[in-house]
Amino acid sequence: MNIPFNSELIRQDFPILHQEIYGKPLVYLDNAATTQKPQIVIDAVSNYYSRYNSNIHRGVHYLSQQATDAYENARKTVQKFINAGSTKEVIFTRGTTEAINLVAASYGRDMLKQGDEIVISTMEHHSNIVPWQMLCEQTGAILRIIPIIDSGEIILEEYQKLLNDRTKIVSVIHVSNSLGTINPVKIMTEMAHEFGAIVLIDGAQAIQHFAVDVQGIGCDFYAFSGHKLYAPTGIGVLYGKRRLLEAMKPYQGGGDMILSVSFEKTTYNELPHKFEAGTPNISGVIGLGAAINYINNIGLDKISEYEDEVLNYGTALLSEIETLHIIGTAKDKSSVLSFSIDGIHPHDIGTFLDRDGIAVRAGHHCTQPLMKRYCVPATTRASISFYNTKAEIDALASSLKKIIRMFE
Ligand code: C6P
């Protein structure tokens, strides 16, 4: 049955949304930083701690087996959600940042040498810049940057020119957290593969907005964070092609990632455990599984359609404000409204919006090179989720107009 999307009903699933800030109803538009959690996720975490808290993969006792089952079931849920070929290809990490660092440290240090090249884009988050810079320092590899046009779109011809036989890794953002641009990652992956480079996609801002099919994209690695997908903080996923993960050395050593240890020699556990040293974030994984089930029940297609509608509504409304300039106007865009206003610092805008109960992010959004590209120190960013309403966008626009009048 095709149930119409109803954001008012959806909002009832999120207890945090029903409160006032400085006497005004909370308008939460900082979803790119982190999303709020539905009751069902909060309950899943709480149930784990109140009913079957136990360590996994170790105990023979009942609670440990329950916890292990819940943990491994969540892995299956993730596998299906991103269409990975096997649960062995789903590694739990602390988040996107750790997933990228894992690839840089494990794959990168072994496979790259002096003069090899790593290609990233101008719009990368620091998490997809710094680990590669560190790898370049360690190996003598060189970082190459794909330029963008003013709308915030990658110049594919320039990307093509950067690719060559020395290109070993291409690592690009799927959806820009600062601009909202959706990058053509499937085409970019195919182009990189022509030269034998491996491709990592930073999916931190994509996974919550539309269906991601890692096999369809063809990428070698895909990274995302649970907390941007309505799950707890401190949990994330690295998808990796089995062939590559099998060949890679462990990222960290410790419990659970070994088969046997002696003082002479250690043999490593099979995938995915080889990359999950130590007691993992069990409650986080269980919360992530619950969040994905929740999203699946609503349907990502409905979520995308509704969020696009709110984004278009917001774009039209903010475009009417004369002194406001939207930064990031790509044709293919998702859920982010970044902007500057003549004569008012983004931090002042963020602070005054807060006084009206409106939560946005003001700053460089961990994309300082991108800010430099646009010659701005920072932007104000409203980022949309499916629990936001057009009325909340109206509230944002009218508060912005009030702030502009104050500064006149
Ligand atoms: N962006 C934002 O407000 P972690 O911190 O590991 O969960 O995610 C890092 C990260 C990586 N890539 C992209 C595209 C991201 O947007 C983020 C996190 C937040 O935009 C916090 S800086």
Side-chain angles (χ1 to χ4, degrees):
M1 195 172 57
N2 195 11
I3 308 162
F5 188 90
N6 184 335
S7 63
E8 287 305 333
L9 273 183
I10 295 278
R11 290 175 71 78
Q12 289 172 17
D13 297 338
F14 292 82
I16 204 171
L17 297 179
H18 310 286
Q19 60 175 302
E20 294 195 337
I21 307 285
Y22 306 118
K24 307 267 174 59
L26 167 65
V27 173
Y28 187 78
L29 287 168
D30 195 16
N31 296 288
T34 199
T35 52
Q36 300 303 347
K37 318 306 170 200
Q39 188 63 48
I40 213 160
V41 168
I42 300 167
D43 287 346
V45 173
S46 162
N47 277 343
Y48 164 70
Y49 281 122
S50 52
R51 301 210 178 130
Y52 60 103
N53 171 49
S54 204
N55 213 327
I56 56 164
H57 299 147
R58 290 161 170 85
V60 289
H61 61 83
Y62 183 78
L63 292 188
S64 173
Q65 281 170 9
Q66 264 197 311
T68 304
D69 286 350
Y71 184 89
E72 291 305 331
N73 279 337
R75 200 190 303 275
K76 284 185 203 144
T77 304
V78 173
Q79 180 215 335
K80 288 203 193 93
F81 189 59
I82 59 172
N83 191 31
S86 152
T87 50
K88 290 185 187 302
E89 298 183 321
V90 176
I91 315 289
F92 289 121
T93 64
R94 282 195 295 128
T96 309
T97 304
E98 190 179 44
I100 298 172
N101 275 278
L102 189 162
V103 177
S106 173
Y107 181 90
R109 270 188 231 154
D110 263 357
M111 303 303 286
L112 268 69
K113 57 177 187 331
Q114 177 105 23
D116 284 343
E117 296 180 5
I118 301 166
V119 175
I120 62 173
S121 83
T122 308
M123 65 178 92
E124 298 312 319
H125 186 277
H126 296 166
S127 294
N128 201 23
I129 301 174
V130 185
W132 305 119
Q133 282 175 330
M134 288 161 65
L135 180 61
C136 287
E137 272 171 27
Q138 286 153 0
T139 61
I142 299 157
L143 201 59
R144 301 268 184 232
I145 314 297
I146 316 166
I148 58 170
I149 54 174
D150 288 347
S151 60
E153 287 156 305
I154 275 175
I155 309 172
L156 281 179
E157 299 74 33
E158 295 298 324
Y159 170 54
Q160 180 72 67
K161 283 187 213 156
L162 288 177
L163 296 170
N164 60 64
D165 293 338
R166 292 183 303 279
T167 315
K168 293 294 176 284
I169 296 174
V170 171
S171 193
V172 283
I173 201 164
H174 198 166
V175 172
S176 161
N177 62 319
S178 296
L179 305 170
T181 311
I182 305 177
N183 284 315
V185 288
K186 185 174 161 61
I187 297 168
M188 293 179 77
T189 300
E190 285 164 7
M191 288 164 73
H193 283 170
E194 290 283 313
F195 292 87
I198 61 115
V199 178
L200 185 151
I201 308 293
D202 170 354
Q205 300 291 348
I207 196 79
Q208 63 279 48
H209 295 304
F210 49 80
V212 167
D213 174 350
V214 290
Q215 294 190 80
I217 296 169
C219 57
D220 300 282
F221 298 102
Y222 195 97
F224 67 90
S225 302
H227 70 97
K228 298 187 198 283
L229 181 63
Y230 310 98
T233 49
I235 188 64
V237 169
L238 173 70
Y239 155 80
K241 280 186 182 156
R242 188 167 171 177
R243 170 180 59 82
L244 293 170
L245 292 173
E246 298 276 13
M248 282 159 56
K249 291 202 189 107
Y251 173 50
Q252 293 178 328
D256 220 24
M257 53 72 73
I258 55 92
L259 278 183
S260 72
V261 177
S262 72
F263 287 121
E264 290 71 40
K265 185 169 170 54
T266 290
T267 53
Y268 304 130
N269 205 341
E270 58 183 26
L271 288 175
H273 313 296
K274 184 172 90 174
F275 290 106
E276 293 177 8
T279 300
N281 182 352
I282 304 166
S283 66
V285 168
I286 289 167
L288 176 60
I292 294 176
N293 287 334
Y294 175 76
I295 295 290
N296 283 339
N297 278 339
I298 299 171
L300 264 174
D301 46 348
K302 281 189 190 150
I303 288 175
S304 294
E305 199 183 320
Y306 176 77
E307 288 179 345
D308 284 351
E309 194 183 313
V310 178
L311 177 68
N312 291 338
Y313 182 78
T315 306
L317 213 56
L318 296 198
S319 302
E320 285 170 9
I321 304 175
E322 223 173 88
T323 52
L324 184 150
H325 310 283
I326 294 179
I327 297 177
T329 51
K331 280 189 280 307
D332 218 1
K333 234 190 114 166
S334 173
S335 297
V336 169
L337 276 168
S338 242
F339 55 87
S340 61
I341 294 179
D342 294 341
I344 316 179
H345 195 280
H347 286 136
D348 290 335
I349 301 171
T351 307
F352 283 110
L353 285 175
D354 178 49
R355 285 281 151 180
D356 278 342
I358 302 171
V360 296
R361 186 169 172 189
H364 53 64
H365 318 299
C366 300
T367 54
Q368 282 182 343
L370 182 67
M371 296 295 117
K372 200 170 163 202
R373 162 67 179 76
Y374 283 96
C375 304
V376 290
T379 73
T380 309
R381 182 189 69 185
S383 48
I384 295 159
S385 157
F386 59 85
Y387 46 60
N388 291 125
T389 62
K390 288 184 186 166
E392 289 183 313
I393 302 295
D394 290 339
L396 170 70
S398 74
S399 182
L400 286 173
K401 285 179 192 159
K402 191 174 79 182
I403 295 165
I404 292 168
R405 280 197 301 277
M406 275 167 49
F407 276 78
E408 269 168 7

